[in-house]
Amino acid sequence: MQYKQLSAFPENFLWGASISAYQAEGAYQEDGKQPSIIDKYQHTEGVANFEVASDFYHHYKEDIQLFKELGLKAFRFSIAWTRIMDIENNKVNQKGISFYHQVIDECLNQGIEPIVTMYHFDLPYFLEEQGGWLNRETIDHFVDYIKILFHEYGDKVNYWLTINEQNTMILHPGAIGLPLSGQLPSKKELFQINHHVLLAQAKVIHLYHQLNLKGKIGPAINLTAMYQATSSPEDAIAAHNWETLRGWSFLDAAVRGKYNYLFENYLNDRGLYPKIEAEDQEILGSGKPDFIAINYYSTATIAASKNDGSDVSARAGDQQIMLGEEGVYRAAENPYVDKTPYGWVVDPTGLRLTLRKLYDRYDLPILITENGYGAPDIVDEDGRINDQDRIDYLAKHILAIQEALTDGVDVFGYMPWSAIDVVSTHQGFNKRYGFIYVDRTDGDLKELKRMRKESFFWFQELIARNGLA
């Protein structure tokens, strides 16, 4: 739909940016931090590990002051479970609790709304050795951890994100590295893990509302609309298959409190249905979120399954590059979109479509918690970092958000990935996203100097005028 005039961004719109603990903090063994699966898993050889990362742990004041200069209204970061608790010895780590108090207080002192992700892939390794999320007892450990967060920070933090990209955890289990054994969980195990994570999420949402804390809480999922490759009805069915299994099935359980019908039949047909206890349906139904957070990078184009052994692509896939699944869908190319240097589809209009579909389905406010352009950055001789491709990417996506607002979608914030350069899980510091350049390479820490990119100044002006010119 085309309008005579686009709606303005709301005056209280949360212009922000995001990081995660394991990709930014570093200090992986300092001040009582326990090992997480990130610390122990096998990662891509030859790229930066997560021991120092962007060293946000030691630079947080400088970084948050830069965020103030940038004009950010909000800053999304995750809390590392392994800084808060030593589960093996049943101890709370006061130094870790103090660190996040300092981060939150610095944000508040600078007029920045802290937005906290409770879990961003970094399960304590002690729990992994006990079976991880496959072990139902992990749910109770997670709730114990969240009780500490609510007690310590509940009066300071107004927006909480439960689980980051649960669908990535389940559908792309190697996304954060391989276990030391080299063996990923089976599909049956993955959907049991999924069930346990859904229960944990529902329990903490219910707890938050039960405590009558002042803010809002919701899930954060990697979401994208799916296009059918042609006008073939079979392609339409395949696109609906994958859009449902990849996205709606996770959100239906989180928002509606029950499994999606198509998802249930898919699991039953393939012998993947998880073990469910008698009280589980009541638990799922008890945790109604206040909003939905989404990480959006690209769309996908889907063709009908041939179901002849050729549906799964031989190319490398990740959470944004579709692989295909036998009997469900096969990936197709879209001639109407661009791609990043790393093969991710660039589709701003797809963001508008995704927002419309999401709002139409659940009628809940939406917070965009990731969206960004990953590419190498070059520092000129004069120290200038001209990342015009990133500016173009963000500008087109912000226009798409404004179009969605004009459509009537309730979007209340935009948090591009990332505030500063962080360790890209597979490409290290070769693939950068930040408004602020962290001067290090995969092999040389240098001085970790912070440098403003051209996108920093562009976004600064955009926030000052509350949207595009």
Side-chain angles (χ1 to χ4, degrees), residues 299-358:
T299 50
T301 302
I302 303 302
S305 163
K306 292 184 178 179
N307 203 25
D308 62 358
S310 68
D311 285 340
V312 179
S313 172
R315 65 181 175 174
D318 57 32
Q319 63 268 35
Q320 297 305 140
I321 299 177
M322 305 301 121
L323 284 176
E325 182 174 338
E326 200 65 25
V328 179
Y329 80 101
R330 57 193 295 125
E333 290 295 324
N334 187 341
Y336 301 102
V337 297
D338 296 322
K339 289 187 178 180
T340 72
Y342 289 90
W344 288 15
V345 165
V346 177
D347 182 8
T349 301
L351 174 56
R352 180 185 182 185
L353 178 61
T354 301
L355 291 169
R356 283 165 56 148
K357 287 186 172 186
L358 178 64

Side-chain angles (χ1 to χ4, degrees), residues 22 26 45 51-52 54 63 79 87 100 103 147 158 196 253 272 287 315 327 337 378 439:
Y22 83 88
E45 290 187 16
E51 295 178 3
V52 176
S54 308
D63 289 339
I79 288 178
I87 300 170
Y100 291 111
V103 170
K147 285 178 180 177
N158 292 317
H196 291 162
L272 302 174
R315 65 181 175 174
V337 297
I378 298 173
D439 189 22

Side-chain angles (χ1 to χ4, degrees), residues 103-343:
V103 170
I104 291 167
D105 289 345
E106 186 65 25
C107 286
L108 294 174
N109 291 339
Q110 300 295 342
I112 296 170
E113 188 81 52
I115 296 179
V116 172
T117 308
M118 303 168 177
Y119 182 82
H120 198 122
F121 300 151
D122 46 359
L123 182 74
Y125 194 70
F126 174 76
L127 291 181
E128 175 79 353
E129 291 182 303
Q130 314 306 310
W133 284 109
L134 192 59
N135 183 345
R136 194 177 171 101
E137 291 181 4
T138 298
I139 298 172
D140 296 328
H141 288 294
F142 185 70
V143 174
D144 289 343
Y145 155 61
I146 298 307
K147 285 178 180 177
I148 296 170
L149 299 192
F150 289 164
H151 173 74
E152 293 289 339
Y153 315 119
D155 61 341
K156 298 179 179 182
V157 175
N158 292 317
Y159 297 97
W160 295 88
L161 310 177
T162 52
I163 309 289
N164 180 72
E165 293 192 359
Q166 182 174 344
N167 53 342
T168 293
M169 290 169 54
I170 304 307
L171 301 175
H172 298 278
I176 59 167
L178 283 174
L180 292 178
S181 67
Q183 296 296 314
L184 293 169
S186 69
K187 288 195 74 170
K188 175 117 178 131
E189 290 171 329
L190 285 167
F191 286 110
Q192 187 67 57
I193 288 169
N194 181 63
H195 183 67
H196 291 162
V197 175
L198 286 170
L199 293 173
Q201 176 169 256
K203 282 193 168 192
V204 300
I205 291 175
H206 178 71
L207 174 64
Y208 188 77
H209 292 144
Q210 196 174 42
L211 292 171
N212 199 29
L213 292 168
K214 64 176 183 174
K216 299 181 185 299
I217 187 169
I221 193 169
N222 186 301
L223 196 65
T224 181
M226 301 291 173
Y227 302 137
Q228 59 193 69
T230 72
S231 55
S232 159
E234 287 76 17
D235 285 356
I237 288 290
H240 185 257
N241 285 344
W242 193 231
E243 188 169 87
T244 300
L245 297 180
R246 188 187 183 278
W248 305 136
S249 61
F250 295 89
L251 284 175
D252 280 359
V255 179
R256 296 174 172 172
K258 61 181 182 179
Y259 275 29
N260 175 279
Y261 72 95
L262 186 62
F263 183 51
E264 281 202 311
N265 283 301
Y266 164 81
L267 294 175
N268 277 320
D269 180 73
R270 285 156 170 76
L272 302 174
Y273 208 85
K275 180 182 179 183
I276 294 180
E277 304 291 346
E279 69 271 22
D280 289 358
Q281 186 56 59
E282 183 179 351
I283 294 170
L284 288 177
S286 71
K288 301 294 186 185
D290 301 309
F291 65 93
I292 298 171
I294 66 165
N295 300 343
Y296 172 90
Y297 290 93
S298 59
T299 50
T301 302
I302 303 302
S305 163
K306 292 184 178 179
N307 203 25
D308 62 358
S310 68
D311 285 340
V312 179
S313 172
R315 65 181 175 174
D318 57 32
Q319 63 268 35
Q320 297 305 140
I321 299 177
M322 305 301 121
L323 284 176
E325 182 174 338
E326 200 65 25
V328 179
Y329 80 101
R330 57 193 295 125
E333 290 295 324
N334 187 341
Y336 301 102
V337 297
D338 296 322
K339 289 187 178 180
T340 72
Y342 289 90

